[in-house]
Amino acid sequence: MTPTSTPRASPQPPANTRQSLQSLLTSARPDLAPYEILRKHFHSHPELSLQESSTADTVASHLRALGVYEIHEGIGGHGVAAVLRNGGGKTVLLRADMDALPVEEKTGLPFASTVTMKDTDGVVKPVMHACGHDVHVTCLLAAAEALAELAKKSDDTWKGTLVLVFQPNEERGGGAKAMVDDGLYDKVPIPDVVLGQHVLPFKAGRLGSRVGIMLAASDSFKVTLSGRGGHASMPNRTIDPVVMAASVVMRLQTIVSREVDPSGMVVITVGSLQAGQTENVISDRAELRLNVRTIDRDTREKVLSSIRRIIKAECEASGASEPPLIESTSSFPATVNDQETTETLHSSFRDFFDEYNDDQPRMNGSEDFSYLGTAIGKPCSFWFIGGIDPDLWDEVEKKGRIAEEIPVNHSPFFAPVMQPTLRIGVDALCLAAMTFLRVSG
């Protein structure tokens, strides 16, 4: 299911089985009106990566009010974890990410963000939940209440241990590792499965997942090229880093077209090129920021090696005053959905949801979610939920203008509709947990 595709029809289970589980989850689903208010709060009070302190405080306060969770705060920065023990059984970890992006919001929502924050580079920037993390946090908090309510209802709903992780710093790819390195699994039980979800720009009410690679690996770099500055009228007395940078940008694109297997997937993007301050001065340095997407380990290593080789060679060819400085700024592993875990979820999701695609096309976006599982050798599974108003989606789809009129993640116009997005997200998290924790089903 891509943003323009229609999900395959799901085979329906026996009516009594489906109705039983639907009745169980529906009876425990909390009133979502307060969670709509909470989502608005998170959306209008976004916080940049590594600065999610108020979000984390709100999360911990809400969990504390439920009265049944063991809560751990300040893990790997502003990470929060909560544990609900309900007898013997499996341990399931559900995860949501909390950080926002340095984007100026243009959605026009009545609860749109007007927040600015000083980023870690010292620059004050506008801040927006342009990737839907406000939705993720809200859904997991509502699921926390629903699963706690189910545990109270009777002894035959679910047994085991539920671990909730509210992760900071996903956008820079460091939050999951930071939480693990800071002793997450010394504080909470080791999970048997690690599960998570993400809202995307397709029709709300639809969900999708797949076995195998779900999201690409991502590597980002800051590259500094050194030249020799001078007067624009005397370029012969300078080493122009702008020309050097332009050569680097153009040559990097030949890695995709000439060095890697055309049947594979590689994207190399130079998202920023900065040099100089005015038109009559040749700068003494240029700075590039690169992002690379790959889906297999061998190709990733080859591409990263080629990037370093080309940058160094272009600098030598230009007579650079110093070797280039290539600094890693973020690194995300590929998200690979475990086969057994994901096929088990397929069965539950097909049974419960009317529009579930078990062959969701792979995306070239990236996530650090899977590190929560791979760091301890445990299986992971990740799925997508749609966030676009169904009526708007249908109207735009009829016109054949999905790409032109539906904003995507990281856009200043990206605004997942409140419902049915929250309801589907809450149900998906609860159903995923119940798939592995339910006593009978």
Side-chain angles (χ1 to χ4, degrees):
M1 176 172 54
T2 65
T4 57
S5 70
T6 300
R8 300 184 302 179
S10 299
Q12 297 301 303
N16 59 340
T17 301
R18 189 177 195 221
Q19 289 172 2
S20 173
L21 192 52
Q22 281 186 332
S23 297
L24 191 63
L25 292 181
T26 301
S27 68
R29 185 194 301 140
D31 176 9
L32 293 181
Y35 286 97
E36 292 184 8
I37 295 171
L38 187 59
R39 187 264 172 129
K40 291 177 182 178
H41 169 80
F42 286 133
H43 191 87
S44 60
H45 297 82
E47 294 176 298
L48 292 172
S49 303
L50 303 173
Q51 301 183 60
E52 311 92 340
S53 58
S54 293
T55 304
D57 288 345
T58 302
V59 165
S61 176
H62 184 90
L63 292 169
R64 204 171 285 117
L66 295 176
V68 294
Y69 283 93
E70 167 193 318
I71 300 166
H72 303 272
E73 300 176 69
I75 308 172
H78 298 294
V80 178
V83 181
L84 176 55
R85 305 175 195 272
N86 191 36
K90 291 186 176 181
T91 298
V92 172
L93 186 152
L94 301 178
R95 173 269 203 178
D97 39 12
M98 300 189 292
D99 53 333
L101 287 159
V103 173
E104 183 178 0
E105 182 160 358
K106 298 178 181 179
T107 62
L109 292 171
F111 53 93
S113 169
T114 57
V115 170
T116 60
M117 295 183 76
K118 183 181 289 188
D119 208 344
T120 51
D121 59 5
V123 178
V124 176
K125 302 173 182 178
V127 189
M128 174 191 174
H129 268 300
C131 203
H133 296 187
D134 54 325
V135 173
H136 303 166
V137 173
T138 305
C139 286
L140 188 51
L141 287 174
E145 181 176 348
L147 290 165
E149 181 64 25
L150 281 172
K152 294 176 186 176
K153 277 183 176 294
S154 69
D155 293 335
D156 60 357
T157 53
W158 67 268
K159 286 291 185 183
T161 301
L162 177 67
V163 178
L164 310 177
V165 169
F166 295 84
Q167 181 203 307
N169 194 24
E170 182 277 331
E171 293 293 353
R172 296 183 180 180
K177 186 175 188 300
M179 290 189 76
V180 172
D181 290 349
D182 196 27
L184 171 66
Y185 293 121
D186 295 328
K187 298 174 175 66
V188 306
I190 300 290
D192 293 295
V193 291
V194 176
L195 310 174
Q197 65 183 10
H198 205 296
V199 64
L200 287 185
F202 56 82
K203 187 175 181 178
R206 294 178 179 173
L207 306 88
S209 189
R210 66 180 291 114
V211 170
I213 295 176
M214 188 71 169
L215 291 160
S218 173
D219 295 278
S220 294
F221 301 91
K222 173 184 173 182
V223 179
T224 304
L225 308 179
S226 298
R228 184 167 63 239
H231 200 286
S233 68
M234 295 181 280
N236 56 304
R237 302 286 295 273
T238 71
I239 298 173
D240 192 341
V242 173
V243 175
M244 194 187 312
S247 297
V248 168
V249 171
M250 297 303 295
R251 186 58 184 264
L252 286 177
Q253 303 311 309
T254 67
I255 297 174
V256 177
S257 65
R258 292 294 179 269
E259 294 193 30
V260 298
D261 188 335
S263 64
M265 192 290 293
V266 176
V267 178
I268 300 175
T269 299
V270 180
S272 174
L273 196 169
Q274 298 180 358
Q277 301 296 325
T278 189
E279 70 276 4
N280 65 344
V281 177
I282 293 175
S283 177
D284 64 351
R285 64 181 50 219
E287 181 182 292
L288 295 83
R289 289 182 178 266
L290 282 64
N291 180 254
V292 183
R293 306 283 170 149
T294 54
I295 59 171
D296 72 79
R297 184 176 301 173
D298 291 343
T299 301
R300 185 183 195 183
E301 291 176 358
K302 177 179 177 58
V303 169
L304 297 184
S305 175
S306 295
I307 287 173
R308 294 186 180 94
R309 184 194 78 236
I310 286 172
I311 293 172
K312 291 176 181 177
E314 290 293 346
C315 287
E316 284 189 23
S318 299
S321 57
E322 298 177 18
L325 178 61
I326 304 173
E327 303 171 88
S328 174
T329 55
S330 70
S331 182
F332 296 77
T335 299
V336 182
N337 280 349
D338 175 73
Q339 181 172 350
E340 181 179 354
T341 304
T342 304
E343 287 179 348
T344 301
L345 286 174
H346 280 340
S347 179
S348 292
F349 280 21
R350 279 194 303 259
D351 288 353
F352 190 87
F353 296 108
D354 293 326
E355 295 189 88
Y356 176 68
N357 186 355
D358 61 11
D359 193 24
Q360 170 80 27
R362 185 199 72 239
M363 286 193 60
N364 295 339
S366 302
E367 260 278 358
D368 68 343
F369 153 82
S370 61
Y371 192 83
L372 294 170
T374 58
I376 51 173
K378 296 298 181 179
C380 301
S381 193
F382 200 69
W383 62 89
F384 300 144
I385 62 172
I388 303 303
D389 178 84
D391 293 335
L392 173 63
W393 178 271
D394 290 343
E395 177 186 339
V396 173
E397 188 175 41
K398 285 179 183 177
K399 296 189 294 183
R401 293 185 57 82
I402 296 292
E404 294 83 2
E405 297 188 27
I406 300 296
V408 299
N409 301 69
H410 293 209
S411 162
F413 298 98
F414 184 64
V417 67
M418 193 71 75
Q419 297 297 357
T421 309
L422 289 186
R423 177 176 56 80
I424 294 293
V426 173
D427 285 352
L429 290 168
C430 291
L431 180 60
M434 290 285 285
T435 296
F436 298 97
L437 297 174
R438 196 178 182 199
V439 173
S440 60

